[in-house]
Amino acid sequence: MRKLIISGYIGADAQIADLPSGTQVINFNVAVSEKIKDSQEYKTTWFRCARFANNVSIAPYLKKGTYVIVEGKPDIETYVDQQGVTKANLKCIVSEIHFAGNSKNEESANSTSEPKREYPQSNQPNSFVDGPDESDGLPF
C-alpha cells in the first residue's frame, strides 16, 4: 500500500474542475517547510493535490494560508517542458483532508490581540517538566 501524508499550508485558493465523466476535481497546492539543519533558513517543498469527488462542498474552505493535513496516494505526473525535456511532478490523489489549525492570516490577526500561551498552564507540578511530585509519599 502506498500512502502519502502531507501537513502544511495551502498556497492558493482551491480550484474546481469538471471532468468529461461528470466527476469534479478540487485542485490545490500545499507547502511544507522544514528548517535546514544548522541554519536559520527553511526549505519549502510544494505538493500538488487533487481531490476527486461528486461533492465539492469542502472547496470553499480550502483557502490560501489554511493549515491542513492531507492523506492520499502518491502519483507521478509527467510532462514535456518548452525545451522538450520530460519532467515529473509528485502529486497526491487525496482521500482525506483534515483542518489542523488556524490559517496564517488568522494566526497573525490573533497574535496582535492575544499573546501565545505556553504550556503547561497549570500551577500543579508536571512530572515531565518539574520532576515527580513526591509530596504525597507515593512512589508513582
Side-chain angles (χ1 to χ4, degrees):
M1 177 168 103
R2 298 176 304 149
K3 186 172 189 176
L4 183 62
I5 301 174
I6 303 165
S7 64
Y9 290 96
I10 295 176
D13 293 354
Q15 302 293 316
I16 300 172
D18 294 315
L19 301 177
S21 65
T23 302
Q24 293 182 306
V25 61
I26 305 169
N27 292 304
F28 58 99
N29 296 320
V30 176
V32 178
S33 295
E34 60 184 319
K35 187 174 181 184
I36 298 172
K37 187 176 182 178
D38 300 329
S39 173
Q40 297 291 33
E41 296 179 23
Y42 286 85
K43 176 186 174 190
T44 301
T45 304
W46 288 92
F47 291 89
R48 296 172 51 115
C49 299
R51 167 73 180 188
F52 294 89
N54 290 324
N55 181 356
V56 293
S57 61
I58 195 169
Y61 300 101
L62 299 172
K63 297 276 187 197
K64 179 180 180 176
T66 302
Y67 188 77
V68 293
I69 299 173
V70 175
E71 296 181 36
K73 294 189 320 185
D75 187 35
I76 296 178
E77 195 175 61
T78 59
Y79 65 96
V80 179
D81 69 6
Q82 293 176 348
Q83 288 77 28
V85 178
T86 301
K87 295 191 174 186
N89 284 330
L90 181 62
K91 187 174 188 176
C92 180
I93 306 301
V94 177
S95 58
E96 293 186 40
I97 301 171
H98 304 276
F99 293 92
N102 293 339
S103 69
K104 283 189 173 184
N105 297 335
E106 290 173 3
E107 284 179 3
S108 62
N110 288 340
S111 66
T112 58
S113 60
E114 180 180 320
K116 288 193 175 194
R117 297 180 183 169
E118 294 190 23
Y119 297 96
Q121 295 177 353
S122 171
N123 291 333
Q124 300 297 320
N126 182 324
S127 61
F128 295 107
V129 177
D130 303 322
D133 178 16
E134 297 176 0
S135 62
D136 57 7
L138 297 175
F140 51 90

